[in-house]
Amino acid sequence: VQQVSPEHLDDAVARGEPAARQLLLPHGLEVAASFVPPAADERIRLRAALGVPADRPLLVSVGMLDSGIKRMDYLIREVAALGAARPFLLMAGAPASETPSILSLARERLGDDGFSARSFPLEQMPSLYRAADAFALASLREGFGLAIVEALGAGLPCVLHDTPNTAYLAGPHAFRGNLRAAGAMTPLLSAALAGVRDEPAMRARHAWVRGRFSWDAL
């Protein structure tokens, strides 16, 4: 049985599955050998193509536009709590039954000019990550967390719920906390956004992903 993180492997063994039949093998990604952080003019061009503002920080979250798993409603409230300095929130994912209420909450808390929520084709995702300043995911549990690895590979600071799985995926390169509590994500978002465009940190995140999840490494 392929397990994509140590947390899931440990869970399987704890349930009584034979350890000898479990294989730890995470998802693989195509990760470039070298990484060049996007320049300001590239960000402006990419954001124009995405239809998002270029004059304020851009926070991206990738996942189903729901409240039960990806908890986009929680993310919206935490972003709104940042006040006037809050970033533009781009939620990239497929719609779900809760999506209308998610959009209603976003309009109420962020304003029509403070967010966007839509699906993107797979080939456009690298541009989305390169356009962003930071990445956040409010889910409490992930089957793997591919979007986390993609965002880190693009050099983005990530805000995540603290679990053995997110520690495995991000190591020291993310802002993690107990996101079950209201207000817990807001200071993490502030910290992540304070360090945007730190090129050594961006390169370190990319190198972390390349060394652990690239097809070359695997």
Coordinates of all heavy atoms in Angstrom, one line a residue, residues 72-161:
M72 N -12.9 27.4 3.5 CA -12.7 28.7 2.9 C -13.4 29.8 3.7 O -13.0 30.9 3.7 CB -13.2 28.7 1.5 CG -12.4 27.8 0.5 SD -10.7 28.5 0.3 CE -10.1 27.4 -1.0
D73 N -14.5 29.4 4.4 CA -15.2 30.4 5.3 C -14.3 30.9 6.4 O -14.2 32.1 6.7 CB -16.5 29.9 5.8 CG -16.4 28.5 6.5 OD1 -15.4 27.8 6.3 OD2 -17.2 28.2 7.4
Y74 N -13.6 29.9 7.0 CA -12.6 30.3 8.1 C -11.5 31.2 7.5 O -11.2 32.2 8.1 CB -12.0 29.0 8.6 CG -10.9 29.3 9.7 CD1 -11.3 29.4 11.0 CD2 -9.6 29.4 9.3 CE1 -10.3 29.6 12.0 CE2 -8.6 29.6 10.3 CZ -8.9 29.7 11.6 OH -7.9 29.9 12.5
L75 N -11.0 30.9 6.4 CA -10.0 31.7 5.7 C -10.4 33.1 5.5 O -9.7 34.1 5.7 CB -9.5 31.0 4.4 CG -8.5 31.8 3.6 CD1 -7.2 32.0 4.3 CD2 -8.3 31.1 2.2
I76 N -11.7 33.2 5.0 CA -12.2 34.6 4.7 C -12.3 35.4 6.0 O -11.9 36.6 6.0 CB -13.6 34.4 4.0 CG1 -13.5 33.9 2.6 CG2 -14.3 35.8 4.0 CD1 -14.8 33.4 2.0
R77 N -12.8 34.8 7.0 CA -12.9 35.6 8.3 C -11.5 36.0 8.8 O -11.3 37.1 9.4 CB -13.6 34.7 9.3 CG -15.1 34.5 9.0 CD -15.8 33.8 10.2 NE -17.2 33.5 9.8 CZ -17.7 32.4 9.3 NH1 -16.8 31.4 9.1 NH2 -19.0 32.3 9.1
E78 N -10.5 35.1 8.7 CA -9.2 35.4 9.2 C -8.5 36.5 8.3 O -7.8 37.4 8.9 CB -8.3 34.1 9.2 CG -8.8 33.0 10.1 CD -8.8 33.5 11.6 OE1 -7.7 33.8 12.1 OE2 -9.9 33.5 12.2
V79 N -8.7 36.5 7.0 CA -8.2 37.5 6.2 C -8.9 38.9 6.5 O -8.2 39.9 6.6 CB -8.4 37.2 4.7 CG1 -8.0 38.4 3.8 CG2 -7.5 36.0 4.3
A80 N -10.2 38.8 6.7 CA -10.9 40.0 7.0 C -10.5 40.7 8.3 O -10.4 41.9 8.5 CB -12.4 39.7 7.1
A81 N -10.0 39.8 9.3 CA -9.6 40.4 10.6 C -8.3 41.1 10.5 O -7.9 41.8 11.4 CB -9.4 39.2 11.5
L82 N -7.6 41.1 9.3 CA -6.4 41.9 9.1 C -6.7 43.3 8.9 O -5.8 44.2 8.9 CB -5.6 41.3 7.9 CG -4.9 40.0 8.1 CD1 -4.4 39.4 6.8 CD2 -3.7 40.1 9.1
G83 N -7.9 43.7 8.7 CA -8.3 45.1 8.5 C -7.9 45.7 7.2 O -7.8 45.0 6.2
A84 N -7.6 47.0 7.2 CA -7.3 47.7 6.0 C -6.1 47.2 5.3 O -6.0 47.4 4.1 CB -7.2 49.2 6.3
A85 N -5.2 46.6 6.0 CA -3.9 46.1 5.4 C -4.1 44.7 4.8 O -3.1 44.1 4.3 CB -2.8 46.1 6.4
R86 N -5.3 44.2 4.7 CA -5.5 42.8 4.3 C -5.1 42.7 2.8 O -5.3 43.6 2.0 CB -6.9 42.3 4.5 CG -8.0 43.1 3.8 CD -9.3 42.5 4.1 NE -10.4 43.2 3.4 CZ -11.2 44.1 4.0 NH1 -11.0 44.3 5.3 NH2 -12.2 44.7 3.4
P87 N -4.7 41.5 2.4 CA -4.4 41.2 1.0 C -5.6 41.0 0.2 O -6.7 40.8 0.7 CB -3.5 40.0 1.1 CG -4.1 39.2 2.2 CD -4.4 40.3 3.2
F88 N -5.4 41.0 -1.1 CA -6.5 40.5 -2.0 C -6.4 39.0 -1.9 O -5.4 38.4 -2.0 CB -6.2 40.9 -3.4 CG -7.3 40.6 -4.4 CD1 -8.4 41.4 -4.7 CD2 -7.3 39.4 -5.1 CE1 -9.4 41.1 -5.5 CE2 -8.3 39.0 -6.0 CZ -9.3 39.9 -6.2
L89 N -7.6 38.3 -1.8 CA -7.7 36.9 -1.6 C -8.2 36.2 -2.9 O -9.3 36.5 -3.4 CB -8.6 36.5 -0.4 CG -8.9 35.0 -0.2 CD1 -7.6 34.3 0.1 CD2 -9.9 34.8 0.9
L90 N -7.4 35.4 -3.4 CA -7.7 34.6 -4.6 C -7.9 33.1 -4.2 O -6.9 32.5 -3.8 CB -6.6 34.7 -5.7 CG -6.8 33.9 -7.0 CD1 -8.2 34.2 -7.6 CD2 -5.7 34.1 -7.9
M91 N -9.1 32.7 -4.3 CA -9.5 31.3 -3.9 C -9.6 30.5 -5.2 O -10.5 30.8 -6.0 CB -10.7 31.2 -3.1 CG -10.6 31.9 -1.7 SD -12.2 31.9 -0.8 CE -13.0 33.3 -1.7
A92 N -8.7 29.6 -5.5 CA -8.7 28.8 -6.7 C -9.2 27.4 -6.5 O -8.5 26.7 -5.8 CB -7.3 28.8 -7.3
G93 N -10.3 27.1 -7.0 CA -10.8 25.7 -6.8 C -12.2 25.5 -7.5 O -12.8 26.4 -8.0
A94 N -12.6 24.2 -7.4 CA -13.9 23.9 -8.0 C -15.0 24.2 -7.1 O -14.8 24.2 -5.8 CB -13.9 22.4 -8.3
P95 N -16.2 24.5 -7.6 CA -17.3 24.8 -6.7 C -17.8 23.6 -6.0 O -17.7 22.4 -6.4 CB -18.3 25.4 -7.7 CG -18.0 24.8 -9.0 CD -16.5 24.6 -9.0
A96 N -18.5 23.8 -4.9 CA -19.1 22.8 -4.1 C -20.5 23.3 -3.7 O -20.9 24.4 -4.0 CB -18.3 22.5 -2.9
S97 N -21.3 22.5 -3.0 CA -22.6 22.9 -2.5 C -22.6 24.1 -1.6 O -23.5 24.9 -1.6 CB -23.3 21.7 -1.8 OG -22.6 21.3 -0.7
E98 N -21.5 24.3 -0.9 CA -21.4 25.4 0.0 C -20.8 26.7 -0.7 O -20.8 27.8 0.0 CB -20.4 25.1 1.2 CG -20.8 23.9 2.0 CD -19.9 22.7 1.6 OE1 -19.6 22.5 0.4 OE2 -19.5 22.0 2.5
T99 N -20.5 26.6 -1.9 CA -19.8 27.7 -2.6 C -20.7 29.0 -2.6 O -20.1 30.1 -2.3 CB -19.4 27.4 -4.0 OG1 -18.5 26.3 -4.0 CG2 -18.8 28.5 -4.7
P100 N -22.0 29.0 -2.8 CA -22.8 30.2 -2.8 C -22.7 30.9 -1.4 O -22.5 32.1 -1.4 CB -24.2 29.7 -3.0 CG -24.0 28.5 -3.9 CD -22.8 27.8 -3.3
S101 N -22.7 30.2 -0.3 CA -22.5 30.8 1.0 C -21.1 31.3 1.2 O -20.9 32.4 1.9 CB -22.9 29.8 2.1 OG -22.1 28.7 2.2
I102 N -20.1 30.6 0.6 CA -18.8 31.1 0.7 C -18.6 32.5 0.0 O -18.0 33.4 0.5 CB -17.8 30.1 0.1 CG1 -17.8 28.8 0.9 CG2 -16.4 30.7 -0.1 CD1 -17.2 28.8 2.2
L103 N -19.2 32.6 -1.2 CA -19.1 33.8 -1.9 C -19.9 34.9 -1.2 O -19.4 36.1 -1.2 CB -19.7 33.6 -3.3 CG -18.9 32.6 -4.2 CD1 -19.6 32.4 -5.6 CD2 -17.5 32.9 -4.3
S104 N -21.0 34.6 -0.6 CA -21.8 35.6 0.1 C -21.0 36.1 1.3 O -20.9 37.4 1.5 CB -23.1 35.0 0.6 OG -23.8 36.0 1.3
L105 N -20.3 35.2 2.0 CA -19.5 35.7 3.1 C -18.3 36.5 2.7 O -18.0 37.5 3.3 CB -19.0 34.4 3.9 CG -18.1 34.7 5.1 CD1 -18.8 35.4 6.2 CD2 -17.4 33.4 5.6
A106 N -17.7 36.1 1.6 CA -16.6 36.9 1.0 C -17.0 38.3 0.6 O -16.3 39.3 0.9 CB -15.9 36.2 -0.1
R107 N -18.1 38.4 0.0 CA -18.6 39.8 -0.4 C -18.9 40.6 0.9 O -18.6 41.8 0.9 CB -19.9 39.7 -1.2 CG -19.6 39.2 -2.7 CD -20.8 39.4 -3.5 NE -21.8 38.3 -3.2 CZ -21.9 37.2 -3.8 NH1 -21.0 36.8 -4.8 NH2 -22.8 36.3 -3.5
E108 N -19.5 40.0 1.9 CA -19.8 40.7 3.1 C -18.5 41.1 3.9 O -18.5 42.3 4.4 CB -20.6 39.8 4.0 CG -20.9 40.3 5.4 CD -21.5 39.3 6.3 OE1 -22.1 38.3 5.9 OE2 -21.4 39.5 7.6
R109 N -17.5 40.2 4.0 CA -16.4 40.5 4.8 C -15.2 41.2 4.1 O -14.5 42.0 4.7 CB -15.9 39.2 5.4 CG -16.8 38.5 6.4 CD -17.1 39.4 7.6 NE -18.0 38.7 8.6 CZ -17.6 38.0 9.6 NH1 -16.3 37.8 9.8 NH2 -18.5 37.4 10.4
L110 N -15.1 40.9 2.8 CA -14.0 41.4 2.0 C -14.3 42.5 1.0 O -13.5 43.2 0.5 CB -13.2 40.3 1.4 CG -12.7 39.2 2.3 CD1 -12.1 38.1 1.4 CD2 -11.8 39.7 3.3
G111 N -15.6 42.5 0.6 CA -16.0 43.4 -0.4 C -15.8 42.8 -1.8 O -14.9 42.0 -2.0
D112 N -16.6 43.3 -2.8 CA -16.5 42.7 -4.1 C -15.1 43.0 -4.7 O -14.6 42.2 -5.6 CB -17.5 43.4 -5.0 CG -18.9 42.9 -4.7 OD1 -19.0 41.7 -4.3 OD2 -19.9 43.7 -4.9
D113 N -14.4 44.0 -4.2 CA -13.0 44.3 -4.8 C -11.9 43.7 -3.9 O -10.7 44.0 -4.1 CB -12.8 45.8 -4.9 CG -12.9 46.5 -3.5 OD1 -13.3 45.8 -2.6 OD2 -12.5 47.7 -3.5
G114 N -12.3 42.8 -3.0 CA -11.3 42.2 -2.1 C -11.0 40.7 -2.3 O -10.1 40.2 -1.6
F115 N -11.7 40.1 -3.3 CA -11.5 38.7 -3.4 C -11.9 38.3 -4.9 O -12.6 39.0 -5.6 CB -12.3 37.9 -2.4 CG -13.7 37.7 -2.8 CD1 -14.2 36.6 -3.4 CD2 -14.6 38.8 -2.6 CE1 -15.5 36.4 -3.8 CE2 -16.0 38.6 -2.9 CZ -16.4 37.5 -3.5
S116 N -11.4 37.1 -5.2 CA -11.9 36.4 -6.4 C -11.9 34.9 -6.1 O -11.1 34.4 -5.4 CB -11.0 36.7 -7.6 OG -11.4 36.0 -8.8
A117 N -12.9 34.2 -6.6 CA -13.0 32.7 -6.4 C -13.4 32.1 -7.7 O -14.5 32.4 -8.3 CB -14.1 32.5 -5.3
R118 N -12.6 31.2 -8.3 CA -12.9 30.6 -9.5 C -11.9 29.4 -9.8 O -10.9 29.2 -9.0 CB -12.7 31.6 -10.7 CG -11.4 32.4 -10.7 CD -11.6 33.7 -11.5 NE -10.8 34.7 -11.1 CZ -9.7 35.2 -11.8 NH1 -9.4 34.6 -12.9 NH2 -9.0 36.2 -11.3
S119 N -12.2 28.6 -10.8 CA -11.4 27.5 -11.2 C -10.4 27.9 -12.2 O -10.6 28.9 -13.0 CB -12.3 26.4 -11.7 OG -13.2 26.0 -10.8
F120 N -9.3 27.2 -12.2 CA -8.2 27.5 -13.2 C -7.8 26.2 -13.8 O -7.8 25.1 -13.2 CB -7.0 28.1 -12.5 CG -7.2 29.5 -12.0 CD1 -7.7 29.7 -10.8 CD2 -6.9 30.6 -12.8 CE1 -7.9 31.0 -10.3 CE2 -7.1 31.9 -12.4 CZ -7.6 32.1 -11.1
P121 N -7.5 26.2 -15.1 CA -6.9 25.0 -15.7 C -5.6 24.7 -15.2 O -4.8 25.6 -14.7 CB -6.8 25.4 -17.2 CG -6.8 26.9 -17.3 CD -7.6 27.3 -16.1
L122 N -5.2 23.4 -15.2 CA -4.0 23.0 -14.5 C -2.7 23.7 -15.1 O -1.8 24.1 -14.3 CB -3.8 21.5 -14.8 CG -2.6 20.8 -14.1 CD1 -2.7 20.9 -12.6 CD2 -2.5 19.3 -14.5
E123 N -2.7 24.0 -16.4 CA -1.6 24.6 -17.0 C -1.4 26.1 -16.5 O -0.3 26.6 -16.7 CB -1.6 24.5 -18.5 CG -2.8 25.2 -19.1 CD -4.0 24.3 -19.3 OE1 -4.1 23.2 -18.7 OE2 -4.9 24.7 -20.1
Q124 N -2.4 26.7 -15.9 CA -2.3 28.0 -15.5 C -1.8 28.2 -14.1 O -1.5 29.2 -13.6 CB -3.7 28.8 -15.6 CG -3.6 30.3 -15.7 CD -4.9 30.9 -16.0 OE1 -5.8 30.3 -16.3 NE2 -4.9 32.3 -16.0
M125 N -1.8 27.0 -13.3 CA -1.4 27.1 -11.9 C 0.0 27.7 -11.7 O 0.2 28.4 -10.7 CB -1.6 25.7 -11.3 CG -3.0 25.2 -11.2 SD -4.1 26.4 -10.4 CE -3.5 26.4 -8.7
P126 N 1.0 27.3 -12.4 CA 2.3 27.9 -12.2 C 2.3 29.4 -12.2 O 3.0 30.1 -11.4 CB 3.2 27.3 -13.3 CG 2.6 26.0 -13.6 CD 1.1 26.3 -13.5
S127 N 1.5 30.0 -13.2 CA 1.4 31.4 -13.2 C 0.7 32.0 -12.0 O 1.1 33.1 -11.5 CB 0.7 31.8 -14.5 OG 1.4 31.5 -15.7
L128 N -0.3 31.3 -11.5 CA -1.0 31.8 -10.3 C 0.0 31.8 -9.1 O 0.0 32.8 -8.4 CB -2.2 30.8 -10.1 CG -3.1 31.2 -9.0 CD1 -4.5 30.7 -9.3 CD2 -2.7 30.6 -7.6
Y129 N 0.7 30.8 -8.9 CA 1.7 30.8 -7.8 C 2.7 31.9 -8.0 O 3.1 32.6 -7.0 CB 2.4 29.4 -7.7 CG 1.5 28.3 -7.2 CD1 1.3 27.2 -8.0 CD2 0.8 28.4 -6.0 CE1 0.5 26.1 -7.6 CE2 0.0 27.3 -5.6 CZ -0.1 26.2 -6.4 OH -0.9 25.2 -6.0
R130 N 3.2 32.1 -9.2 CA 4.3 33.1 -9.4 C 3.7 34.5 -9.2 O 4.4 35.5 -8.9 CB 4.9 33.0 -10.8 CG 5.9 31.8 -10.9 CD 6.6 31.7 -12.2 NE 7.6 32.8 -12.4 CZ 8.8 32.8 -11.8 NH1 9.2 31.8 -11.0 NH2 9.6 33.8 -12.1
A131 N 2.4 34.7 -9.4 CA 1.8 36.0 -9.3 C 1.6 36.3 -7.8 O 1.4 37.5 -7.4 CB 0.5 36.1 -10.0
A132 N 1.5 35.3 -6.9 CA 1.1 35.5 -5.5 C 2.3 35.9 -4.7 O 3.4 35.8 -5.0 CB 0.5 34.2 -5.0
D133 N 1.9 36.5 -3.5 CA 2.9 36.8 -2.5 C 2.9 35.8 -1.4 O 3.9 35.6 -0.7 CB 2.5 38.2 -1.8 CG 2.7 39.3 -2.8 OD1 3.8 39.5 -3.2 OD2 1.7 40.1 -3.1
A134 N 1.8 35.1 -1.1 CA 1.7 34.1 0.0 C 0.6 33.1 -0.3 O -0.3 33.4 -1.2 CB 1.5 34.8 1.3
F135 N 0.7 32.0 0.4 CA -0.3 30.9 0.2 C -0.9 30.5 1.6 O -0.1 30.5 2.6 CB 0.4 29.7 -0.4 CG -0.5 28.5 -0.5 CD1 -1.3 28.2 -1.6 CD2 -0.5 27.5 0.5 CE1 -2.0 27.1 -1.7 CE2 -1.3 26.4 0.4 CZ -2.0 26.2 -0.7
A136 N -2.2 30.2 1.6 CA -2.8 29.8 2.9 C -3.7 28.7 2.6 O -4.4 28.7 1.6 CB -3.5 31.0 3.6
L137 N -3.8 27.7 3.5 CA -4.7 26.6 3.5 C -5.3 26.4 4.9 O -4.5 26.2 5.8 CB -4.0 25.4 3.0 CG -4.9 24.2 2.5 CD1 -5.8 24.6 1.3 CD2 -4.1 23.0 2.1
A138 N -6.6 26.4 5.0 CA -7.2 26.3 6.3 C -7.7 24.9 6.7 O -8.2 24.7 7.8 CB -8.4 27.3 6.4
S139 N -7.5 23.9 5.8 CA -8.0 22.6 6.1 C -7.2 22.0 7.3 O -6.0 22.3 7.5 CB -7.8 21.7 4.8 OG -6.4 21.8 4.4
L140 N -7.9 21.2 8.0 CA -7.3 20.6 9.2 C -6.7 19.2 8.9 O -5.9 18.7 9.7 CB -8.4 20.4 10.3 CG -9.1 21.6 10.7 CD1 -10.2 21.3 11.8 CD2 -8.1 22.7 11.3
R141 N -7.0 18.7 7.8 CA -6.4 17.4 7.4 C -6.3 17.3 5.8 O -7.3 17.8 5.2 CB -7.2 16.2 7.9 CG -6.6 14.8 7.7 CD -7.3 13.8 8.5 NE -6.8 12.4 8.2 CZ -5.8 11.9 8.8 NH1 -5.1 12.5 9.7 NH2 -5.4 10.6 8.5
E142 N -5.3 16.7 5.3 CA -5.1 16.6 3.9 C -4.7 15.2 3.5 O -4.0 14.5 4.3 CB -4.0 17.5 3.4 CG -4.3 19.0 3.3 CD -5.3 19.3 2.2 OE1 -5.1 18.8 1.1 OE2 -6.2 20.2 2.4
G143 N -5.2 14.7 2.4 CA -4.8 13.4 1.9 C -3.3 13.4 1.6 O -2.6 12.4 1.9
F144 N -2.8 14.5 1.0 CA -1.4 14.7 0.9 C -1.1 16.2 1.1 O -0.5 16.6 2.1 CB -0.9 14.3 -0.5 CG 0.6 14.6 -0.7 CD1 1.6 14.0 0.0 CD2 1.0 15.5 -1.7 CE1 2.9 14.3 -0.2 CE2 2.3 15.8 -1.9 CZ 3.3 15.2 -1.1
G145 N -1.6 17.0 0.3 CA -1.4 18.4 0.3 C -0.5 18.9 -0.8 O 0.4 19.7 -0.7
L146 N -0.9 18.5 -2.0 CA -0.2 18.8 -3.2 C 0.0 20.3 -3.4 O 1.0 20.8 -3.8 CB -0.8 18.1 -4.4 CG 0.0 18.2 -5.8 CD1 1.3 17.6 -5.6 CD2 -0.8 17.6 -6.9
A147 N -1.1 21.1 -3.2 CA -1.0 22.5 -3.4 C 0.0 23.2 -2.5 O 0.7 24.1 -2.8 CB -2.4 23.1 -3.2
I148 N 0.2 22.6 -1.3 CA 1.2 23.1 -0.3 C 2.6 23.0 -1.0 O 3.4 23.9 -1.0 CB 1.1 22.3 1.0 CG1 -0.2 22.6 1.7 CG2 2.3 22.7 1.9 CD1 -0.4 21.7 2.9
V149 N 2.9 21.8 -1.5 CA 4.2 21.5 -2.1 C 4.4 22.4 -3.3 O 5.5 22.9 -3.6 CB 4.3 20.0 -2.4 CG1 5.7 19.8 -3.0 CG2 4.2 19.2 -1.1
E150 N 3.3 22.6 -4.1 CA 3.4 23.4 -5.3 C 3.7 24.9 -4.9 O 4.6 25.5 -5.5 CB 2.1 23.4 -6.1 CG 1.9 22.0 -6.8 CD 0.5 22.0 -7.4 OE1 -0.4 22.8 -7.1 OE2 0.3 21.1 -8.3
A151 N 3.1 25.4 -3.9 CA 3.3 26.7 -3.5 C 4.7 26.9 -2.9 O 5.4 27.9 -3.2 CB 2.2 27.1 -2.4
L152 N 5.1 26.0 -2.1 CA 6.5 26.0 -1.6 C 7.5 26.0 -2.7 O 8.5 26.7 -2.7 CB 6.8 24.9 -0.6 CG 6.1 25.0 0.8 CD1 6.2 23.7 1.5 CD2 6.7 26.1 1.6
G153 N 7.3 25.1 -3.7 CA 8.2 25.0 -4.8 C 8.3 26.3 -5.6 O 9.3 26.6 -6.3
A154 N 7.2 27.1 -5.6 CA 7.2 28.4 -6.2 C 7.8 29.5 -5.3 O 7.8 30.7 -5.7 CB 5.8 28.8 -6.6
G155 N 8.3 29.1 -4.1 CA 8.9 30.0 -3.2 C 8.0 30.8 -2.3 O 8.5 31.7 -1.6
L156 N 6.7 30.4 -2.2 CA 5.8 31.2 -1.4 C 5.8 30.8 0.1 O 5.9 29.7 0.4 CB 4.4 31.0 -1.9 CG 4.0 31.4 -3.4 CD1 2.6 31.1 -3.7 CD2 4.3 32.9 -3.5
P157 N 5.7 31.9 0.9 CA 5.5 31.6 2.4 C 4.1 31.0 2.5 O 3.1 31.5 1.9 CB 5.6 32.9 3.0 CG 5.3 33.9 2.0 CD 5.8 33.3 0.7
C158 N 4.0 29.9 3.3 CA 2.7 29.2 3.5 C 2.2 29.3 4.9 O 3.0 29.1 5.8 CB 2.9 27.8 3.0 SG 3.3 27.5 1.3
V159 N 0.9 29.4 5.0 CA 0.2 29.4 6.3 C -0.7 28.2 6.4 O -1.5 28.0 5.5 CB -0.6 30.7 6.6 CG1 -1.4 30.6 7.9 CG2 0.3 31.9 6.5
L160 N -0.4 27.3 7.4 CA -1.0 26.0 7.4 C -1.4 25.6 8.8 O -0.9 26.1 9.8 CB 0.0 24.9 6.9 CG 0.7 25.2 5.6 CD1 1.8 24.2 5.4 CD2 -0.3 25.2 4.4
H161 N -2.4 24.6 8.9 CA -2.7 24.0 10.2 C -1.5 23.1 10.6 O -0.9 22.4 9.7 CB -4.0 23.2 10.1 CG -4.4 22.5 11.3 ND1 -4.6 23.2 12.5 CD2 -4.6 21.2 11.6 CE1 -5.0 22.4 13.4 NE2 -5.0 21.2 12.9

